[in-house]
Amino acid sequence: MGSLVYDPKARSIFFQVATIAIMTFIVWTIANNTIENLARSNTASGYQFLNGRAGFDIGQTLISYSSDSTYGRAIIVGLLNTILVAITGIITATIIGFIIGIGRLSKNWLIAKLCTVYVEAFRNIPPLLVIFFWYSGVLATLPQPRDSLELPFSTFLNNRGLAFPRPIWGDGAAVLPLAIVIGIVASVLVARWAKARQMRTGQIFPTGWASAGMIVLLPLVAFLAVGAPLTFDYPVASRFNMSGGSVIAPEFVALYLALSFYTAAFIAEIIRAGIKGVSKGQTEAASALGLHASTTTRLVVVPQAMRIIIPPLTSQYLNLTKNSSLGVAVGFPELVSTGGTTMNQTGQAIEIVSIWLAVYLTISILTSLFMNWFNAKMALVER
């Protein structure tokens, strides 16, 4: 018996079995209590409620939706709005973060200090307060619809949102996305060819201009070739609201700007740390070769810093995606908001929470897989 107590292998097996037993007991207790509570309250379990009529409206939708739509469609609308905020916020936060991070390393005293103030201010403010600042402190102070600020291209800005002309596509417009896909594929192939050519001969091909030409000019030529099947429904200002066109709701703008500026502060520190992690000898060697400071940063420092930047950058992308659930505080119809309304009307709390968990877990895993792939592509490869 004493030998078993002091045997590391036996102790390891004992603790593993004990852990499994405790976890099994906890899961069984929770499940048993849940079943008893559902039976006591006469609440039916299952996901059949998703086929029921929702009975509530949603202000901003990317797909067709009305109060006669199902609960399932309402949740899909919230999911698409969450993905919209996540993608646009990640792009904007990355751009701002790169600019601020590089600005913190600037030799210009004023630029460096301004960037430092930005980082320290946003990093020490809760994101919910930033959302309220944009929503109540900025967007709510805009004029009423009858006094809308008229912007170029028949665009109006007021406290109801940003109204702009809504495109109406005619026959033959399906060729446009096809041309865009062809242009993107062609630009990727040209970029690979240009990289192989540069590695082989040292000659640099203007990949950026060539890609821009294929992605922009090819769809434009296709668009004109089918007769430019596009008209616009222009917004018209009235006394109480806007009619016609499309409107970007202030709730979306507040959430998008808040998460972008808030996350950008953390990304800026990641960028700064990544650049500082590159050996100073790399910069000195580039200067000795006569490279300009901006060229050194773009072609020498940043590519090497990416292997340091990408892993923590993934965490910030995940944080921004999960922080989009704070949109419920200002009434933005994202996943948690539409799911919460559905839960209040149906009482299916367990099912709704399970949908939330599954969706956010799936988005996080897909984001991590993509960033791991991108990190592997950006890793330094020795010749």
Side-chain angles (χ1 to χ4, degrees), residues 1 31 38 43 87 91 110 141 253 264 269 277 295 330 354 361-362:
M1 183 65 182
L38 289 175
T43 301
I87 293 177
I91 294 174
L110 181 60
T141 61
V253 176
E269 282 297 273
T295 305
V330 291
S354 67
L361 181 62
T362 301

Side-chain angles (χ1 to χ4, degrees), residues 26-377:
I26 293 174
V27 171
W28 178 84
T29 303
I30 294 175
N32 186 59
N33 289 339
T34 301
I35 294 173
E36 291 180 356
N37 291 333
L38 289 175
R40 189 180 301 112
S41 61
N42 293 323
T43 301
S45 60
Y47 295 88
Q48 296 81 5
F49 71 95
L50 294 175
N51 297 321
R53 179 178 178 273
F56 59 89
D57 292 319
I58 297 178
Q60 178 172 325
T61 65
L62 297 178
I63 58 176
S64 60
Y65 175 86
S66 68
S67 58
D68 292 326
S69 300
T70 63
Y71 287 118
R73 193 168 186 83
I75 292 176
I76 291 176
V77 169
L79 170 61
L80 293 178
N81 285 340
T82 294
I83 295 175
L84 176 64
V85 171
I87 293 177
T88 54
I90 284 173
I91 294 174
T92 306
T94 302
I95 295 174
I96 297 175
F98 260 89
I99 295 174
I100 299 298
I102 294 176
R104 286 206 64 185
L105 299 173
S106 174
K107 295 180 180 179
N108 186 302
W109 183 87
L110 181 60
I111 293 178
K113 293 304 179 183
L114 287 176
C115 292
T116 300
V117 171
Y118 172 91
V119 170
E120 294 301 327
F122 277 98
R123 284 204 310 169
N124 292 285
I125 298 177
L128 187 59
L129 292 185
V130 182
I131 295 174
F132 283 144
F133 165 76
W134 283 105
Y135 187 69
S136 302
V138 177
L139 299 178
T141 61
L142 293 173
Q144 297 288 332
R146 62 175 176 269
D147 301 320
S148 299
L149 301 176
E150 188 169 356
L151 305 176
F153 308 109
S154 300
T155 303
F156 298 89
L157 180 64
N158 53 61
N159 59 6
R160 298 289 181 88
L162 178 66
F164 58 93
R166 179 170 62 90
I168 302 176
W169 300 97
D171 296 334
V175 72
L176 188 59
L178 179 60
I180 293 175
V181 172
I182 294 175
I184 293 175
V185 172
S187 64
V188 171
L189 295 176
V190 169
R192 290 185 176 182
W193 169 82
K195 183 177 180 180
R197 176 174 176 262
Q198 181 179 353
M199 296 295 292
R200 186 174 62 254
T201 64
Q203 297 178 348
I204 299 177
F205 183 80
T207 307
W209 288 106
S211 299
M214 287 182 286
I215 296 176
V216 176
L217 294 181
L218 182 60
L220 180 60
V221 171
F223 176 72
L224 296 176
V226 296
L230 176 63
T231 57
F232 290 94
D233 177 23
Y234 292 94
V236 178
S238 61
R239 184 174 181 180
F240 298 105
N241 207 342
M242 305 293 299
S243 60
S246 296
V247 178
I248 299 178
E251 293 81 10
F252 168 78
V253 176
L255 182 62
Y256 158 71
L257 291 177
L259 295 184
S260 298
F261 281 89
Y262 176 79
T263 309
F266 294 88
I267 293 178
E269 282 297 273
I270 294 173
I271 301 301
R272 185 180 70 88
I275 293 176
K276 294 287 286 185
V278 177
S279 174
K280 189 176 181 181
Q282 298 292 318
T283 305
E284 294 173 347
S287 300
L289 292 174
L291 295 180
H292 190 271
S294 60
T295 305
T296 300
T297 302
R298 181 168 55 90
L299 298 180
V300 178
V301 177
V302 172
Q304 296 185 66
M306 290 301 291
R307 60 189 175 89
I308 305 175
I309 292 172
I310 292 176
L313 193 63
T314 303
S315 298
Q316 295 306 318
Y317 289 169
L318 296 178
N319 288 338
L320 188 149
T321 302
K322 290 178 286 189
N323 284 340
S324 65
S325 60
L326 294 174
V328 69
V330 291
F332 179 69
E334 40 72 52
L335 179 64
V336 174
S337 177
T338 56
T341 304
T342 300
M343 180 171 60
N344 291 334
Q345 294 190 181
T346 62
Q348 304 291 332
I350 296 176
E351 291 80 1
I352 294 297
V353 172
S354 67
I355 292 175
W356 288 341
L357 293 175
V359 168
Y360 281 111
L361 181 62
T362 301
I363 294 176
S364 298
I365 290 176
L366 292 177
T367 303
S368 299
L369 290 175
F370 173 78
M371 293 301 292
N372 289 339
W373 169 83
F374 184 61
N375 188 33
K377 296 290 290 185

